[in-house]
Amino acid sequence: MASFKKQSTGWEYRIRYKDPITQKFKEKSQRGFETKKEAQVAAADAESKIAEGYEQTDIPLIVYLEEYVQEYKVGTVRKNTLIQHQNNIKNHIKPYFQSIMLREVKPIGYQKFLNHLAEKYSKSTVEIIHNTMNSALEKAVTLGKLEKNPCRGVTIKGSVKAKGLKFIESEHIPAFLRAAHQYGYIYWMFYRILIETGMRKGEAAALTWDDVDLKAGTITINKTLDFSAEDESELFGDTKTFNSERTIKISQSIIQDLKQHIKYQNQNKLAWKGSYKHKLNLVLCRDDGNFMPKSSLFNSFSRILKRAGLPSMPIHSLRHTHAVLLLEAGNDMKYVQERLGHGSMRITADVYSHVSKKIEESSMEKYEAHMKSILE
């Protein structure tokens, strides 16, 4: 309950309350009001904020962010998303803000933080880091730890990556696969699967024989491999998004290759005996049944491209290659979206519109033929 007193400088209110965190009594006061009525209105507003928790003891920003992730993200978001939040705090937010208190984060200071990030990272990366901070401080408002979210209304800058899509043109695929086979059978198999299914490398690396139905001619994609896992219990994680979980048809040639691959693995199992990683049950793995390290995939892919006389590109380009092949074969965007596991067709259309020379040339030929029929 507020008390009021007239001072030489005007009316003053004084509120005594118990801090819900420290359980200690505190006082809040303000003076300089011309009338008692003004002091009463201000006191009522202050009491309301105290009741909602705005006057509780402040805490360091990083302590709050770590508590936020632990209480509101662990067990509610996918493993990859959780790791992303944790890395954003550890690698970007903590080094910049250091020991600043939660309520000391102000809009202009936060904007300077985003501008600092924009000097080194792309706009999309800055947006990802901002998402961690913004969602956490929005929750702080709900919890009564902040009156307003200082992350609202910011301007996100940063470089925008060129939209040039990298993929292997269809006429160069045979040369690439020949170079892959010469480099090593398992790499040929791995990259052939990527080209013919559009799986991400982590999805392909996590593929187990339980996911393959050779009779039905399908592959079910329901997990991804965590290449940085410290033990086998953490090796398999969730797919990138819920939409990434999907079952796709595979070609007869891939079915035959997988049947031969089973025989190849059986020979390895006999050779490695008890040392073979039977428990993992991986389809695309090293000779001992263990998963293929990310470094081995990166190095092999780079060398195979060079041997095939192709320009440098990331492994993810094989996913793009598959999408372009589907479009060249006459499939519509909706089918490509579902096969790749995109959340919406807009994503698919934004990425793959006008990407293949063959599609562009075919479209122009159809247009010219149509115009010729009209004008003649």
Side-chain angles (χ1 to χ4, degrees):
M1 185 96 180
S3 61
F4 303 91
K5 187 175 182 180
K6 190 173 184 179
Q7 305 281 9
S8 59
T9 56
W11 281 90
E12 175 192 48
Y13 75 75
R14 188 174 296 273
I15 303 171
R16 182 174 170 80
Y17 66 97
K18 182 185 287 188
D19 188 296
I21 294 179
T22 64
Q23 294 299 303
K24 294 181 179 179
F25 281 98
K26 299 174 69 175
E27 279 194 354
K28 179 177 178 63
S29 63
Q30 187 175 350
R31 65 180 63 181
F33 299 99
E34 292 186 3
T35 65
K36 185 177 182 180
K37 182 66 175 177
E38 289 180 358
Q40 288 174 329
V41 171
D45 181 59
E47 286 179 321
S48 175
K49 290 180 179 178
I50 290 171
E52 293 174 3
Y54 292 122
E55 294 299 327
Q56 60 187 264
T57 302
D58 200 4
I59 60 174
L61 170 66
I62 302 306
V63 172
Y64 167 71
L65 291 176
E66 290 172 348
E67 288 180 354
Y68 163 77
V69 170
Q70 182 63 37
E71 297 300 326
Y72 295 98
K73 295 301 178 182
V74 173
T76 63
V77 298
R78 291 176 172 248
K79 182 180 178 181
N80 293 342
T81 304
L82 177 63
I83 292 173
Q84 188 176 77
H85 283 306
Q86 292 170 332
N87 287 340
N88 287 342
I89 295 169
K90 177 183 176 182
N91 300 329
H92 303 291
I93 300 173
K94 185 175 182 178
Y96 185 88
F97 287 104
Q98 298 183 14
S99 59
I100 191 173
M101 302 299 282
L102 176 61
R103 291 183 197 154
E104 291 176 343
V105 181
K106 304 300 180 184
I108 186 64
Y110 183 67
Q111 183 65 62
K112 288 181 179 179
F113 166 63
L114 294 181
N115 294 345
H116 166 74
L117 293 175
E119 293 175 359
K120 298 185 290 183
Y121 303 107
S122 67
K123 185 176 181 179
S124 60
T125 299
V126 177
E127 287 174 340
I128 290 171
I129 299 169
H130 165 68
N131 179 59
T132 295
M133 188 77 158
N134 183 52
S135 60
L137 269 58
E138 196 65 43
K139 177 61 71 172
V141 174
T142 303
L143 296 173
K145 296 179 181 294
L146 289 177
E147 188 172 354
K148 293 181 180 179
N149 180 2
C151 302
R152 293 179 189 169
V154 296
T155 299
I156 298 180
K157 305 175 184 178
S159 60
V160 179
K161 293 182 180 179
K163 290 189 176 181
L165 198 65
K166 293 185 177 181
F167 61 95
I168 300 177
E169 294 279 357
S170 56
E171 60 265 31
H172 298 312
I173 291 175
F176 170 79
L177 290 176
R178 281 195 300 271
H181 203 285
Q182 291 169 0
Y183 188 86
Y185 163 76
I186 191 58
Y187 296 104
W188 169 80
M189 191 67 184
F190 193 96
Y191 298 134
R192 178 160 158 68
I193 291 287
L194 292 189
I195 289 174
E196 292 230 19
T197 64
M199 284 192 286
R200 300 175 178 89
K201 66 178 181 296
E203 294 171 343
L207 193 67
T208 59
W209 286 108
D210 297 334
D211 305 323
V212 180
D213 188 336
L214 294 178
K215 188 174 181 180
T218 62
I219 284 177
T220 297
I221 301 159
N222 52 29
K223 55 188 175 295
T224 189
L225 193 87
D226 183 354
F227 290 98
S228 61
E230 295 182 359
D231 57 64
E232 290 183 6
S233 64
E234 299 177 350
L235 194 58
F236 299 111
D238 298 319
T239 53
K240 186 176 181 180
T241 66
F242 289 106
N243 295 100
S244 297
E245 294 185 7
R246 59 205 187 276
T247 297
I248 61 173
K249 294 287 291 184
I250 54 176
S251 66
Q252 284 298 316
S253 62
I254 286 293
I255 292 173
Q256 294 306 314
D257 285 340
L258 286 172
K259 288 180 179 179
Q260 292 300 314
H261 188 58
I262 291 173
K263 296 178 181 179
Y264 171 80
Q265 279 197 348
N266 286 338
Q267 292 176 346
N268 288 334
K269 290 174 182 178
L270 289 173
W272 285 86
K273 298 180 180 178
S275 299
Y276 191 88
K277 297 282 186 178
H278 292 275
K279 189 177 179 181
L280 294 180
N281 198 30
L282 293 173
V283 175
L284 302 168
C285 56
R286 299 190 304 191
D287 287 351
D288 64 352
N290 210 343
F291 71 92
M292 299 177 70
K294 184 188 289 187
S295 58
S296 296
L297 294 173
F298 283 157
N299 292 335
S300 65
F301 188 67
S302 176
R303 291 165 184 165
I304 291 167
L305 286 173
K306 188 175 291 186
R307 290 185 183 186
L310 297 173
S312 176
M313 63 184 78
I315 295 177
H316 197 75
S317 296
L318 296 185
R319 180 169 162 85
H320 298 323
T321 300
H322 179 68
V324 173
L325 289 172
L326 292 175
L327 293 171
E328 287 179 346
N331 293 285
D332 60 24
M333 283 289 183
K334 182 63 177 174
Y335 177 74
V336 176
Q337 173 213 337
E338 293 173 349
R339 191 165 173 88
L340 294 182
H342 283 161
S344 71
M345 198 162 72
R346 180 186 60 79
I347 297 173
T348 312
D350 285 349
V351 175
Y352 297 113
S353 292
H354 313 299
V355 293
S356 170
K357 292 178 183 177
K358 283 189 175 181
I359 296 174
E360 292 176 359
E361 290 171 0
S362 176
S363 297
M364 182 53 67
E365 288 172 2
K366 290 178 181 178
Y367 170 76
E368 289 178 350
H370 179 60
M371 288 301 297
K372 187 176 181 180
S373 66
I374 293 174
L375 297 174
E376 287 183 350

